[in-house]
């Protein structure tokens, strides 16, 4: 136990360890905690996973929509989002798995404006108008339901930009229900084919950057008949959230998704720094000759490092967990108080084990910082494509598990066997690398690779090796 605690203290003294903790904290605060607060504030919104219909009637499952209806929903939703982005000159994209925003130049804004005019049938003057009423009167939403801006919503901020808050958009099953909606069958989307719409979105995506909201992959996620859609919860989603996830499970899954990219990269650097710090202090000369079994030394160090890396992962969501448990008690719902611990240990721990085992093995083998380069390449290669962030689509060799939505419990359970095999396989690979690290470490203690001449080694020590 004393050796374990000593290794924990050594890990905590590393600069890269605190860089990892800081990155984890920022992601937790800015992405996860913010999402929890937003959902709790909007619990009465039909699009919120918390929403409970007073009459027990929920929106129909999106699978019931025809392909034409889905295409029209996609066109309407994307045009509305593009209009909002144009007004604020803020365009979201996901270059490395996390959201970033881009501000367009004047020339780029002019191109976006021409695309909006073509998509909506509105004049450029109407699009630039500041009043939300003008937008609602001109902007035709076609078929199958969608989010629309009602008359009078929206306004200007201090800089004069037209601002539309998320709550300003209202969902309707039929565009005829919108007061003042255009009835001209020849305006808006009736003039634009779906093929042309995809061409426009492709050009917009190229202007913004990699994996923007308007890329084909993201549009398919939000309007392709899955749980990523920004639409009112269905009866199935409501039941899965309260009866399957018990509220906290959905947020625990989302928390693991939020921190997955941090867990894929930085823990390996923590292990590498620890090993190389010992080399710089010439600790090998003190450790190699001792008769403490190499398996004990390596496994204790590895276990201590893993525990220190996992500790903040378990601590940071406690605040949000308390808020969710408080909501459940107020509403008479039974929460799963251990949901975060279970998801963290089953989803995040195998990934941490593998990346730290890779860092350990490469550092023991090479005794240099080459593990950092390999870890960086692993981070780039191990990130699933954007098209898989909806979750429920797992493969055996996935290094991390993505599920970027509070919905989708049923989709996860449909492929739970592959998920379990994936986590077992990743953990198994970690322990194989740990065993190889022990073997290399023992070889080096016998003078292979580091002290090729045993006499030189003894001369360096100035005495016979001490025995514990």
């Amino acid at each position: 136990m004393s050796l374990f605690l000593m290794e924990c203290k050594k890990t905590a003294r590393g600069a890269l360890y605190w860089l990892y903790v800081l990155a984890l904290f920022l992601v937790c605060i800015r992405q996860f905690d913010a999402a929890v607060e937003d959902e709790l504030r909007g619990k009465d919104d039909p699009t919120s996973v918390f929403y409970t219909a007073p009459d027990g009637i929920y929106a129909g499952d999106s699978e019931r929509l025809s392909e034409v209806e889905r295409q029209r929903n996609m066109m309407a939703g994307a045009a509305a989002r593009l209009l909002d982005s144009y007004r604020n000159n803020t365009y979201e994209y996901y270059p490395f798995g996390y959201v970033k925003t881009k501000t367009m130049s004047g020339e780029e804004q002019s191109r976006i404006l021409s695309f909006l005019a073509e998509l909506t049938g509105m004049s450029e003057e109407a699009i630039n108008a500041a009043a939300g009423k003008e937008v609602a009167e001109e902007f035709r939403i076609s078929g199958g339901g969608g989010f629309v801006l009602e008359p009078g919503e929206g306004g200007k901020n201090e800089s004069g930009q037209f601002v539309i808050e998320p709550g300003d958009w209202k969902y309707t099953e039929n565009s005829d229900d919108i007061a003042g909606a255009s009835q001209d069958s020849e305006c808006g989307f009736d003039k634009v084919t779906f093929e042309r719409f995809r061409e426009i979105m492709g050009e917009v995506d190229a202007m913004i950057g990699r994996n923007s909201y308007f890329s084909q992959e993201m549009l398919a996620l939000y309007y392709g008949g899955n749980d990523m859609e920004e639409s009112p919860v269905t009866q199935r989603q409501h039941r899965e959230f309260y009866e399957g996830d018990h509220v906290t499970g959905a947020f625990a899954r989302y928390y693991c998704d939020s921190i997955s990219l941090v867990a894929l990269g930085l823990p390996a650097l923590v292990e590498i720094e620890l090993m190389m710090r010992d080399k710089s202090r010439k600790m090998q000369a003190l450790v190699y000759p001792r008769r403490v079994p190499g398996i004990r030394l390596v496994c204790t160090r590895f276990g201590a490092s893993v525990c220190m890396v996992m500790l903040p992962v378990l601590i940071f969501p406690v605040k949000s967990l308390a808020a969710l448990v408080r909501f459940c008690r107020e509403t008479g719902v039974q929460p799963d108080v251990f949901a975060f611990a279970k998801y963290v240990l089953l989803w995040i721990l195998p990934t941490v084990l593998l990346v730290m085992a890779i860092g350990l093995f490469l550092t023991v083998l090479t005794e240099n910082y080459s593990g950092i380069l390999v870890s960086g390449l692993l981070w780039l290669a191990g990130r699933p494509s954007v098209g898989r962030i909806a979750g429920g689509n797992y493969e055996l060799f996935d290094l991390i598990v993505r599920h970027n939505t509070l919905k989708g419990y049923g989709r996860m359970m449909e492929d739970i066997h592959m998920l379990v095999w994936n986590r077992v396989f990743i953990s198994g690979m970690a322990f194989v690398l740990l065993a190889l690290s022990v073997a290399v470490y023992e070889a080096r203690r016998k003078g292979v690779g580091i002290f090729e001449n045993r006499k030189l080694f003894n001369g360096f020590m100035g005495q016979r090796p001490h025995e514990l």
Side-chain angles (χ1 to χ4, degrees):
M1 180 58 69
S2 60
L3 180 60
F4 178 83
L5 294 177
M6 181 183 71
E7 292 295 336
C8 288
K9 292 178 182 178
K10 288 170 64 178
T11 302
R13 288 196 291 266
L16 289 181
Y17 175 74
W18 290 106
L19 174 64
Y20 157 76
V21 172
L22 178 61
L24 197 65
F25 176 75
L26 292 176
V27 170
C28 184
I29 292 294
R30 298 181 60 182
Q31 186 166 342
F32 174 68
D33 286 348
V36 174
E37 293 172 1
D38 288 344
E39 286 293 330
L40 286 172
R41 280 197 300 267
K43 59 182 179 294
D44 296 325
D45 190 323
T47 63
S48 171
V49 289
F50 287 109
Y51 179 71
T52 299
D55 54 5
I57 300 176
Y58 295 86
D61 289 334
S62 59
E63 288 82 356
R64 299 176 184 176
L65 298 179
S66 67
E67 186 62 26
V68 172
E69 289 174 322
R70 288 182 187 175
Q71 290 178 1
R72 286 184 173 271
N73 276 357
M74 182 183 294
M75 295 171 71
R81 182 65 172 262
L82 185 60
L83 180 63
D84 183 31
S85 298
Y86 170 77
R87 289 287 174 83
N88 294 284
N89 196 7
T90 302
Y91 300 82
E92 296 179 348
Y93 66 114
Y94 297 78
F96 298 107
Y98 290 118
V99 64
K100 293 186 66 176
T101 58
K102 177 178 180 178
T103 300
M104 296 290 193
S105 66
E107 182 180 350
E108 290 172 326
Q109 281 285 78
S110 297
R111 287 187 64 193
I112 297 293
L113 179 59
S114 66
F115 290 146
L116 282 169
E118 182 178 354
L119 283 172
T120 65
M122 299 165 59
S123 66
E124 294 187 357
E125 292 76 13
I127 294 174
N128 283 319
K133 180 178 179 180
E134 293 182 26
V135 175
E137 288 178 347
E138 299 279 351
F139 187 29
R140 179 179 176 81
I141 302 293
S142 299
F147 286 94
V148 298
L149 187 67
E150 291 189 339
E153 298 291 349
K156 289 185 177 181
N157 61 16
E158 295 179 355
S159 61
Q161 289 181 311
F162 187 79
V163 178
I164 304 174
E165 299 294 336
D168 295 335
W169 294 102
K170 307 298 180 183
Y171 183 82
T172 178
E173 292 288 346
N174 193 324
S175 61
D176 293 337
D177 295 335
I178 306 172
S182 174
Q183 302 299 317
D184 179 8
S185 61
E186 294 300 322
C187 75
F189 299 127
D190 291 338
K191 285 185 176 181
V192 179
T193 65
F194 186 67
E195 288 71 22
R196 174 55 183 160
F197 163 78
R198 294 184 63 179
E199 291 177 4
I200 292 174
M201 291 297 104
E203 293 188 43
V204 172
D205 179 56
M207 293 169 62
I208 298 173
R210 183 170 179 263
N211 295 329
S212 78
Y213 180 91
F214 307 100
S215 66
Q216 295 301 317
E217 293 83 0
M218 294 294 284
L219 290 175
L221 282 175
Y222 283 99
Y223 303 100
N226 59 54
D227 294 314
M228 291 288 288
E229 291 178 325
E230 297 178 339
S231 59
V233 294
T234 64
Q235 178 68 45
R236 173 182 57 82
Q237 292 167 344
H238 174 80
R239 184 177 63 254
E240 289 178 353
F241 179 71
Y242 282 101
E243 299 177 12
D245 277 322
H246 297 285
V247 176
T248 52
F251 287 93
R253 195 165 52 243
Y254 186 75
Y255 171 68
C256 290
D257 177 85
S258 300
I259 66 171
S260 60
L261 293 180
V262 175
L264 181 61
L266 293 181
L269 306 187
V270 173
E271 186 72 26
I272 293 169
E273 182 194 32
L274 178 62
M275 299 291 293
M276 294 305 297
R277 193 163 67 241
D278 275 357
K279 179 185 178 183
S280 66
R281 295 175 180 174
K282 302 187 184 302
M283 292 297 294
Q284 292 99 326
L286 298 176
V287 174
Y288 281 148
R290 298 177 183 267
R291 290 191 174 180
V292 176
I295 186 172
R296 179 185 171 190
L297 290 171
V298 174
C299 291
T300 300
R301 166 163 292 182
F302 182 75
S305 301
V306 169
C307 287
M308 291 299 293
V309 165
M310 293 300 297
L311 187 61
V313 176
L314 291 167
I315 292 176
F316 286 155
V318 169
K319 174 177 174 287
S320 292
L321 174 60
L324 294 170
V325 170
R326 184 166 57 250
F327 165 83
C328 290
R329 290 177 177 174
E330 292 173 354
T331 55
V333 177
Q334 182 62 41
D336 182 359
V337 295
F338 299 106
F340 280 85
K342 290 188 291 188
Y343 272 97
V344 164
L345 295 178
L346 293 175
W347 284 37
I348 299 299
L349 180 58
T351 299
V352 169
L353 287 173
L354 180 59
V355 298
M356 294 190 73
I358 292 173
L360 174 67
F361 174 70
L362 291 174
T363 307
V364 170
L365 181 65
T366 65
E367 292 195 314
N368 57 40
Y369 288 96
S370 61
I372 293 179
L373 175 61
V374 175
S375 299
L377 295 175
L378 185 71
W379 186 83
L380 291 172
R383 296 173 299 128
S385 64
V386 172
R388 298 177 61 190
I389 65 174
N393 180 20
Y394 314 116
E395 293 183 2
L396 184 61
F397 302 108
D398 287 344
L399 297 182
I400 57 175
V401 179
R402 296 301 309 267
H403 199 110
N404 193 240
T405 173
L406 294 169
K407 305 170 186 176
Y409 172 83
R411 191 172 65 252
M412 177 191 72
M413 295 305 295
E414 289 174 1
D415 206 15
I416 189 66
H417 296 296
M418 179 54 71
L419 175 59
V420 171
W421 277 113
N422 167 266
R423 296 292 85 187
V424 170
F425 175 77
I426 295 299
S427 300
M429 289 297 298
F431 288 116
V432 168
L433 288 169
L434 179 60
L436 291 174
S437 300
V438 171
V440 173
Y441 188 84
E442 285 286 15
R444 290 201 177 279
R445 294 181 80 186
K446 296 175 182 178
V448 178
I450 295 181
F451 301 104
E452 296 180 357
N453 189 310
R454 192 66 179 178
K455 293 181 179 179
L456 179 62
F457 168 72
N458 289 334
F460 175 80
M461 293 298 296
Q463 56 185 354
R464 292 182 61 83
H466 293 288
E467 295 181 3
L468 292 181

